[in-house]
Amino acid sequence: MEEDIRRIGIMGGTFDPIHHGHLVAASEVADRFGLDEVIFVPTGQPWQKADVPVSSAEDRYLMTVIATASNPRFQVSRVDIDRGGPTYTVDTLRDLRSQYGTKAQLFFITGADALERILSWKNLDEIFELAHFIGVTRPGFQLTAAHLPADTVSLVQVPAMAISSTDCRARVARGEPVWYLVPDGVVQYIAKRRLYR
Ligand code: ATP
Ligand code: MG
C-alpha cells in the first residue's frame, strides 16, 4: 500500500515577494525527498513583519501563483489566507492534513531562520506528528543539527542563494532591478501593482 501514499511538501511563507531562493529550496527538497508535489502556502495577513507593512494577501497569493504556474509539481494553497489572522504552522498542518487525509505524508520545508523559531514553539509534539520537517540552509543563518530531534527533522543543503524578500523590496524602493532575483512574471506584477514604492 506504501505506493498509494502521496509525498507532499509544504512551503509556508509571507512571499512578499516570492523569489528564486524559495523556488530553488522547494525544487531541491522535492528532488531529494522524492516529493509528488510541493504546496506553497502564503501566510494570512500579519499586521506587519519587523515593523514594515506587509502586502495584501491577494497580491502575495497572486505572485506565488505566477511564480509556480509553470511547474506541474508546484501548487498554491489558500488555507492560511482564508483562515485569516496570523498564521500558526500547527493550523496550516491540521488543515492540510484533513484536506489530504491519511493517504498523504507531509513534509514541511523551512529555511534555517524559520526553523529556529519553530523549534521554540509550544505544540511541538503535535507539529512533529503532523509532518516531517526539512530545514534548508540559507546564507547568513547557521543550521546546526545538535539540538534537533533527528527522527523528525532533516537538514538539506541547497545551492546558496543570498536572496531575501526584504532585499527585493528594498531594491524596488530604491528603483534598482529585481530581474533574475524573482521570476519574470513577478517583476512585472510588482511594477503593474506598484508594490514596495
Ligand atoms: P523576509 O525577508 O520578508 O523575511 P524571506 O526572504 O525570509 O522574506 P519568507 O517568505 O519569510 O521569505 O520565507 C519563507 C520560507 O522560505 C522560510 O522558511 C525561509 O526561511 C525560506 N527562505 C527564504 N529565502 C530563502 C533562501 N534564499 N534560501 C533558502 N530558504 C529561504
Ligand atoms: Mg523571512
Side-chain angles (χ1 to χ4, degrees):
M1 289 294 123
E2 188 68 23
E3 57 274 21
D4 288 347
I5 305 268
R6 285 186 71 72
R7 296 166 69 85
I8 297 177
I10 301 165
M11 176 115 191
T14 316
F15 301 134
D16 190 22
I18 189 167
H19 53 67
H20 280 128
H22 299 130
L23 296 163
V24 166
S27 164
E28 194 69 12
V29 171
D31 177 61
R32 297 280 191 91
F33 284 78
L35 303 184
D36 296 298
E37 58 187 292
V38 176
I39 306 172
F40 290 73
V41 192
T43 58
Q45 196 60 15
W47 278 79
Q48 56 182 31
K49 202 176 149 186
D51 293 331
V52 293
V54 174
S55 302
S56 77
E58 291 310 319
D59 280 334
R60 294 183 292 105
Y61 171 73
L62 285 173
M63 287 190 283
T64 308
V65 169
I66 290 165
T68 56
S70 62
N71 187 328
R73 288 184 195 269
F74 286 178
Q75 315 287 341
V76 186
S77 167
R78 294 185 59 95
V79 280
D80 288 343
I81 288 174
D82 291 344
R83 189 184 320 104
T87 292
Y88 299 97
T89 296
V90 65
D91 295 325
T92 311
L93 293 176
R94 280 176 187 153
D95 285 356
L96 291 173
R97 164 60 64 206
S98 62
Q99 193 175 320
Y100 284 86
T102 49
K103 289 236 168 211
Q105 195 177 353
L106 305 182
F107 297 82
F108 193 85
I109 306 163
T110 179
D113 56 321
L115 186 61
E116 287 293 328
R117 254 175 286 128
I118 289 168
L119 293 173
S120 67
W121 293 347
K122 47 185 187 178
N123 298 53
L124 261 196
D125 289 348
E126 183 184 357
I127 289 173
F128 284 153
E129 245 167 62
L130 287 161
H132 184 86
F133 276 64
I134 302 171
V136 298
T137 51
R138 182 174 184 186
F141 297 91
Q142 272 299 355
L143 196 51
T144 48
H147 58 300
L148 300 177
D151 50 334
T152 44
V153 180
S154 309
L155 301 182
V156 170
Q157 299 262 28
V158 303
M161 297 205 83
I163 306 177
S164 72
S165 299
T166 299
D167 180 54
C168 292
R169 293 191 301 271
R171 286 175 148 273
V172 174
R174 292 192 301 258
E176 294 169 10
V178 288
W179 290 110
Y180 314 117
L181 298 174
V182 306
D184 294 358
V186 173
V187 178
Q188 290 159 327
Y189 186 89
I190 290 168
K192 170 179 163 178
R193 296 277 299 140
R194 301 189 58 77
L195 301 179
Y196 316 128
R197 305 203 172 230

PDB file of all heavy atoms in Angstrom, residues 27-50:
ATOM      1  N   SER A  27      12.430  23.078  -5.010  1.00  0.00           N
ATOM      2  CA  SER A  27      12.816  22.166  -6.082  1.00  0.00           C
ATOM      3  C   SER A  27      13.851  21.151  -5.589  1.00  0.00           C
ATOM      4  O   SER A  27      13.767  19.946  -5.875  1.00  0.00           O
ATOM      5  CB  SER A  27      13.370  22.988  -7.248  1.00  0.00           C
ATOM      6  OG  SER A  27      14.065  22.181  -8.139  1.00  0.00           O
ATOM      7  N   GLU A  28      14.813  21.640  -4.836  1.00  0.00           N
ATOM      8  CA  GLU A  28      15.883  20.774  -4.330  1.00  0.00           C
ATOM      9  C   GLU A  28      15.333  19.730  -3.346  1.00  0.00           C
ATOM     10  O   GLU A  28      15.666  18.549  -3.428  1.00  0.00           O
ATOM     11  CB  GLU A  28      16.939  21.658  -3.654  1.00  0.00           C
ATOM     12  CG  GLU A  28      18.246  20.976  -3.388  1.00  0.00           C
ATOM     13  CD  GLU A  28      19.035  20.660  -4.659  1.00  0.00           C
ATOM     14  OE1 GLU A  28      18.665  21.166  -5.748  1.00  0.00           O
ATOM     15  OE2 GLU A  28      19.996  19.883  -4.567  1.00  0.00           O
ATOM     16  N   VAL A  29      14.469  20.182  -2.445  1.00  0.00           N
ATOM     17  CA  VAL A  29      13.894  19.252  -1.462  1.00  0.00           C
ATOM     18  C   VAL A  29      12.989  18.246  -2.166  1.00  0.00           C
ATOM     19  O   VAL A  29      13.003  17.048  -1.848  1.00  0.00           O
ATOM     20  CB  VAL A  29      13.123  20.020  -0.361  1.00  0.00           C
ATOM     21  CG1 VAL A  29      12.347  19.052   0.526  1.00  0.00           C
ATOM     22  CG2 VAL A  29      14.088  20.849   0.482  1.00  0.00           C
ATOM     23  N   ALA A  30      12.226  18.699  -3.152  1.00  0.00           N
ATOM     24  CA  ALA A  30      11.336  17.790  -3.889  1.00  0.00           C
ATOM     25  C   ALA A  30      12.146  16.675  -4.539  1.00  0.00           C
ATOM     26  O   ALA A  30      11.756  15.505  -4.523  1.00  0.00           O
ATOM     27  CB  ALA A  30      10.542  18.562  -4.941  1.00  0.00           C
ATOM     28  N   ASP A  31      13.298  17.036  -5.087  1.00  0.00           N
ATOM     29  CA  ASP A  31      14.161  16.051  -5.735  1.00  0.00           C
ATOM     30  C   ASP A  31      14.749  15.083  -4.710  1.00  0.00           C
ATOM     31  O   ASP A  31      14.681  13.868  -4.863  1.00  0.00           O
ATOM     32  CB  ASP A  31      15.272  16.765  -6.502  1.00  0.00           C
ATOM     33  CG  ASP A  31      16.235  15.784  -7.143  1.00  0.00           C
ATOM     34  OD1 ASP A  31      15.777  14.995  -7.990  1.00  0.00           O
ATOM     35  OD2 ASP A  31      17.418  15.787  -6.779  1.00  0.00           O
ATOM     36  N   ARG A  32      15.321  15.627  -3.643  1.00  0.00           N
ATOM     37  CA  ARG A  32      15.991  14.791  -2.637  1.00  0.00           C
ATOM     38  C   ARG A  32      15.034  13.842  -1.933  1.00  0.00           C
ATOM     39  O   ARG A  32      15.395  12.722  -1.586  1.00  0.00           O
ATOM     40  CB  ARG A  32      16.629  15.641  -1.557  1.00  0.00           C
ATOM     41  CG  ARG A  32      17.702  16.527  -2.007  1.00  0.00           C
ATOM     42  CD  ARG A  32      19.064  15.879  -2.195  1.00  0.00           C
ATOM     43  NE  ARG A  32      19.940  17.013  -2.370  1.00  0.00           N
ATOM     44  CZ  ARG A  32      20.564  17.597  -1.372  1.00  0.00           C
ATOM     45  NH1 ARG A  32      20.477  17.094  -0.167  1.00  0.00           N
ATOM     46  NH2 ARG A  32      21.280  18.670  -1.579  1.00  0.00           N
ATOM     47  N   PHE A  33      13.802  14.314  -1.674  1.00  0.00           N
ATOM     48  CA  PHE A  33      12.871  13.514  -0.880  1.00  0.00           C
ATOM     49  C   PHE A  33      11.805  12.839  -1.739  1.00  0.00           C
ATOM     50  O   PHE A  33      10.865  12.262  -1.212  1.00  0.00           O
ATOM     51  CB  PHE A  33      12.217  14.387   0.209  1.00  0.00           C
ATOM     52  CG  PHE A  33      13.146  14.670   1.356  1.00  0.00           C
ATOM     53  CD1 PHE A  33      14.118  15.633   1.231  1.00  0.00           C
ATOM     54  CD2 PHE A  33      13.055  13.943   2.533  1.00  0.00           C
ATOM     55  CE1 PHE A  33      15.008  15.888   2.283  1.00  0.00           C
ATOM     56  CE2 PHE A  33      13.932  14.183   3.580  1.00  0.00           C
ATOM     57  CZ  PHE A  33      14.913  15.156   3.451  1.00  0.00           C
ATOM     58  N   GLY A  34      11.955  12.910  -3.064  1.00  0.00           N
ATOM     59  CA  GLY A  34      11.011  12.246  -3.958  1.00  0.00           C
ATOM     60  C   GLY A  34       9.580  12.699  -3.737  1.00  0.00           C
ATOM     61  O   GLY A  34       8.654  11.878  -3.679  1.00  0.00           O
ATOM     62  N   LEU A  35       9.384  14.017  -3.607  1.00  0.00           N
ATOM     63  CA  LEU A  35       8.032  14.526  -3.337  1.00  0.00           C
ATOM     64  C   LEU A  35       7.191  14.526  -4.609  1.00  0.00           C
ATOM     65  O   LEU A  35       7.693  14.800  -5.699  1.00  0.00           O
ATOM     66  CB  LEU A  35       8.108  15.951  -2.765  1.00  0.00           C
ATOM     67  CG  LEU A  35       8.941  16.125  -1.491  1.00  0.00           C
ATOM     68  CD1 LEU A  35       8.852  17.558  -0.989  1.00  0.00           C
ATOM     69  CD2 LEU A  35       8.490  15.145  -0.402  1.00  0.00           C
ATOM     70  N   ASP A  36       5.919  14.197  -4.475  1.00  0.00           N
ATOM     71  CA  ASP A  36       5.000  14.237  -5.611  1.00  0.00           C
ATOM     72  C   ASP A  36       4.597  15.664  -5.941  1.00  0.00           C
ATOM     73  O   ASP A  36       4.325  15.996  -7.087  1.00  0.00           O
ATOM     74  CB  ASP A  36       3.750  13.410  -5.295  1.00  0.00           C
ATOM     75  CG  ASP A  36       4.085  11.941  -5.110  1.00  0.00           C
ATOM     76  OD1 ASP A  36       4.569  11.325  -6.072  1.00  0.00           O
ATOM     77  OD2 ASP A  36       3.897  11.422  -3.990  1.00  0.00           O
ATOM     78  N   GLU A  37       4.494  16.496  -4.924  1.00  0.00           N
ATOM     79  CA  GLU A  37       4.176  17.900  -5.161  1.00  0.00           C
ATOM     80  C   GLU A  37       4.660  18.749  -3.997  1.00  0.00           C
ATOM     81  O   GLU A  37       4.927  18.234  -2.906  1.00  0.00           O
ATOM     82  CB  GLU A  37       2.673  18.103  -5.378  1.00  0.00           C
ATOM     83  CG  GLU A  37       1.800  17.629  -4.240  1.00  0.00           C
ATOM     84  CD  GLU A  37       0.316  17.715  -4.603  1.00  0.00           C
ATOM     85  OE1 GLU A  37      -0.197  18.833  -4.744  1.00  0.00           O
ATOM     86  OE2 GLU A  37      -0.319  16.655  -4.742  1.00  0.00           O
ATOM     87  N   VAL A  38       4.794  20.037  -4.248  1.00  0.00           N
ATOM     88  CA  VAL A  38       5.093  20.986  -3.180  1.00  0.00           C
ATOM     89  C   VAL A  38       3.992  22.049  -3.197  1.00  0.00           C
ATOM     90  O   VAL A  38       3.687  22.630  -4.244  1.00  0.00           O
ATOM     91  CB  VAL A  38       6.464  21.667  -3.362  1.00  0.00           C
ATOM     92  CG1 VAL A  38       6.692  22.716  -2.266  1.00  0.00           C
ATOM     93  CG2 VAL A  38       7.598  20.638  -3.350  1.00  0.00           C
ATOM     94  N   ILE A  39       3.395  22.235  -2.024  1.00  0.00           N
ATOM     95  CA  ILE A  39       2.330  23.233  -1.907  1.00  0.00           C
ATOM     96  C   ILE A  39       2.894  24.474  -1.226  1.00  0.00           C
ATOM     97  O   ILE A  39       3.391  24.405  -0.105  1.00  0.00           O
ATOM     98  CB  ILE A  39       1.164  22.677  -1.071  1.00  0.00           C
ATOM     99  CG1 ILE A  39       0.694  21.349  -1.660  1.00  0.00           C
ATOM    100  CG2 ILE A  39       0.020  23.682  -1.021  1.00  0.00           C
ATOM    101  CD1 ILE A  39      -0.307  20.643  -0.798  1.00  0.00           C
ATOM    102  N   PHE A  40       2.830  25.590  -1.915  1.00  0.00           N
ATOM    103  CA  PHE A  40       3.248  26.864  -1.342  1.00  0.00           C
ATOM    104  C   PHE A  40       2.046  27.463  -0.616  1.00  0.00           C
ATOM    105  O   PHE A  40       0.943  27.522  -1.179  1.00  0.00           O
ATOM    106  CB  PHE A  40       3.727  27.822  -2.442  1.00  0.00           C
ATOM    107  CG  PHE A  40       5.039  27.404  -3.055  1.00  0.00           C
ATOM    108  CD1 PHE A  40       5.111  26.319  -3.913  1.00  0.00           C
ATOM    109  CD2 PHE A  40       6.209  28.093  -2.760  1.00  0.00           C
ATOM    110  CE1 PHE A  40       6.324  25.924  -4.461  1.00  0.00           C
ATOM    111  CE2 PHE A  40       7.419  27.709  -3.309  1.00  0.00           C
ATOM    112  CZ  PHE A  40       7.484  26.625  -4.159  1.00  0.00           C
ATOM    113  N   VAL A  41       2.248  27.884   0.626  1.00  0.00           N
ATOM    114  CA  VAL A  41       1.130  28.371   1.435  1.00  0.00           C
ATOM    115  C   VAL A  41       1.442  29.785   1.937  1.00  0.00           C
ATOM    116  O   VAL A  41       2.123  29.954   2.957  1.00  0.00           O
ATOM    117  CB  VAL A  41       0.863  27.437   2.631  1.00  0.00           C
ATOM    118  CG1 VAL A  41      -0.471  27.791   3.290  1.00  0.00           C
ATOM    119  CG2 VAL A  41       0.866  25.969   2.216  1.00  0.00           C
ATOM    120  N   PRO A  42       0.961  30.807   1.212  1.00  0.00           N
ATOM    121  CA  PRO A  42       1.181  32.177   1.692  1.00  0.00           C
ATOM    122  C   PRO A  42       0.458  32.395   3.024  1.00  0.00           C
ATOM    123  O   PRO A  42      -0.660  31.911   3.219  1.00  0.00           O
ATOM    124  CB  PRO A  42       0.554  33.049   0.595  1.00  0.00           C
ATOM    125  CG  PRO A  42       0.408  32.155  -0.598  1.00  0.00           C
ATOM    126  CD  PRO A  42       0.237  30.765  -0.073  1.00  0.00           C
ATOM    127  N   THR A  43       1.119  33.074   3.937  1.00  0.00           N
ATOM    128  CA  THR A  43       0.559  33.301   5.270  1.00  0.00           C
ATOM    129  C   THR A  43      -0.667  34.208   5.214  1.00  0.00           C
ATOM    130  O   THR A  43      -0.831  35.004   4.291  1.00  0.00           O
ATOM    131  CB  THR A  43       1.570  33.990   6.196  1.00  0.00           C
ATOM    132  OG1 THR A  43       1.953  35.235   5.600  1.00  0.00           O
ATOM    133  CG2 THR A  43       2.794  33.122   6.429  1.00  0.00           C
ATOM    134  N   GLY A  44      -1.493  34.104   6.255  1.00  0.00           N
ATOM    135  CA  GLY A  44      -2.558  35.067   6.454  1.00  0.00           C
ATOM    136  C   GLY A  44      -1.955  36.445   6.660  1.00  0.00           C
ATOM    137  O   GLY A  44      -0.735  36.594   6.754  1.00  0.00           O
ATOM    138  N   GLN A  45      -2.806  37.441   6.734  1.00  0.00           N
ATOM    139  CA  GLN A  45      -2.310  38.809   6.787  1.00  0.00           C
ATOM    140  C   GLN A  45      -1.780  39.160   8.175  1.00  0.00           C
ATOM    141  O   GLN A  45      -2.564  39.323   9.099  1.00  0.00           O
ATOM    142  CB  GLN A  45      -3.442  39.770   6.397  1.00  0.00           C
ATOM    143  CG  GLN A  45      -2.969  41.156   6.039  1.00  0.00           C
ATOM    144  CD  GLN A  45      -2.009  41.157   4.849  1.00  0.00           C
ATOM    145  OE1 GLN A  45      -1.893  40.181   4.120  1.00  0.00           O
ATOM    146  NE2 GLN A  45      -1.301  42.234   4.672  1.00  0.00           N
ATOM    147  N   PRO A  46      -0.457  39.253   8.358  1.00  0.00           N
ATOM    148  CA  PRO A  46       0.054  39.778   9.629  1.00  0.00           C
ATOM    149  C   PRO A  46      -0.063  41.302   9.614  1.00  0.00           C
ATOM    150  O   PRO A  46      -0.107  41.893   8.536  1.00  0.00           O
ATOM    151  CB  PRO A  46       1.516  39.350   9.636  1.00  0.00           C
ATOM    152  CG  PRO A  46       1.870  39.126   8.203  1.00  0.00           C
ATOM    153  CD  PRO A  46       0.609  38.953   7.411  1.00  0.00           C
ATOM    154  N   TRP A  47      -0.129  41.912  10.765  1.00  0.00           N
ATOM    155  CA  TRP A  47      -0.189  43.386  10.799  1.00  0.00           C
ATOM    156  C   TRP A  47       0.998  43.959  10.070  1.00  0.00           C
ATOM    157  O   TRP A  47       0.915  44.834   9.241  1.00  0.00           O
ATOM    158  CB  TRP A  47      -0.126  43.879  12.254  1.00  0.00           C
ATOM    159  CG  TRP A  47      -1.428  43.817  12.932  1.00  0.00           C
ATOM    160  CD1 TRP A  47      -2.014  42.701  13.468  1.00  0.00           C
ATOM    161  CD2 TRP A  47      -2.334  44.887  13.152  1.00  0.00           C
ATOM    162  NE1 TRP A  47      -3.214  43.026  13.998  1.00  0.00           N
ATOM    163  CE2 TRP A  47      -3.429  44.361  13.830  1.00  0.00           C
ATOM    164  CE3 TRP A  47      -2.305  46.254  12.849  1.00  0.00           C
ATOM    165  CZ2 TRP A  47      -4.518  45.151  14.213  1.00  0.00           C
ATOM    166  CZ3 TRP A  47      -3.369  47.025  13.235  1.00  0.00           C
ATOM    167  CH2 TRP A  47      -4.466  46.474  13.895  1.00  0.00           C
ATOM    168  N   GLN A  48       2.114  43.452  10.453  1.00  0.00           N
ATOM    169  CA  GLN A  48       3.377  43.887   9.877  1.00  0.00           C
ATOM    170  C   GLN A  48       4.393  42.832  10.224  1.00  0.00           C
ATOM    171  O   GLN A  48       4.141  41.931  11.000  1.00  0.00           O
ATOM    172  CB  GLN A  48       3.795  45.239  10.459  1.00  0.00           C
ATOM    173  CG  GLN A  48       3.886  45.224  11.968  1.00  0.00           C
ATOM    174  CD  GLN A  48       4.250  46.597  12.501  1.00  0.00           C
ATOM    175  OE1 GLN A  48       3.924  47.614  11.939  1.00  0.00           O
ATOM    176  NE2 GLN A  48       4.973  46.584  13.598  1.00  0.00           N
ATOM    177  N   LYS A  49       5.538  42.932   9.582  1.00  0.00           N
ATOM    178  CA  LYS A  49       6.597  41.976   9.852  1.00  0.00           C
ATOM    179  C   LYS A  49       7.837  42.814  10.072  1.00  0.00           C
ATOM    180  O   LYS A  49       8.214  43.585   9.197  1.00  0.00           O
ATOM    181  CB  LYS A  49       6.741  41.068   8.629  1.00  0.00           C
ATOM    182  CG  LYS A  49       7.390  39.743   8.902  1.00  0.00           C
ATOM    183  CD  LYS A  49       7.380  38.896   7.640  1.00  0.00           C
ATOM    184  CE  LYS A  49       8.577  37.989   7.602  1.00  0.00           C
ATOM    185  NZ  LYS A  49       8.684  37.263   6.353  1.00  0.00           N
ATOM    186  N   ALA A  50       8.450  42.710  11.226  1.00  0.00           N
ATOM    187  CA  ALA A  50       9.648  43.502  11.541  1.00  0.00           C
ATOM    188  C   ALA A  50       9.429  44.981  11.212  1.00  0.00           C
ATOM    189  O   ALA A  50      10.248  45.611  10.546  1.00  0.00           O
ATOM    190  CB  ALA A  50      10.864  42.944  10.811  1.00  0.00           C
TER     191      ALA A  50
END
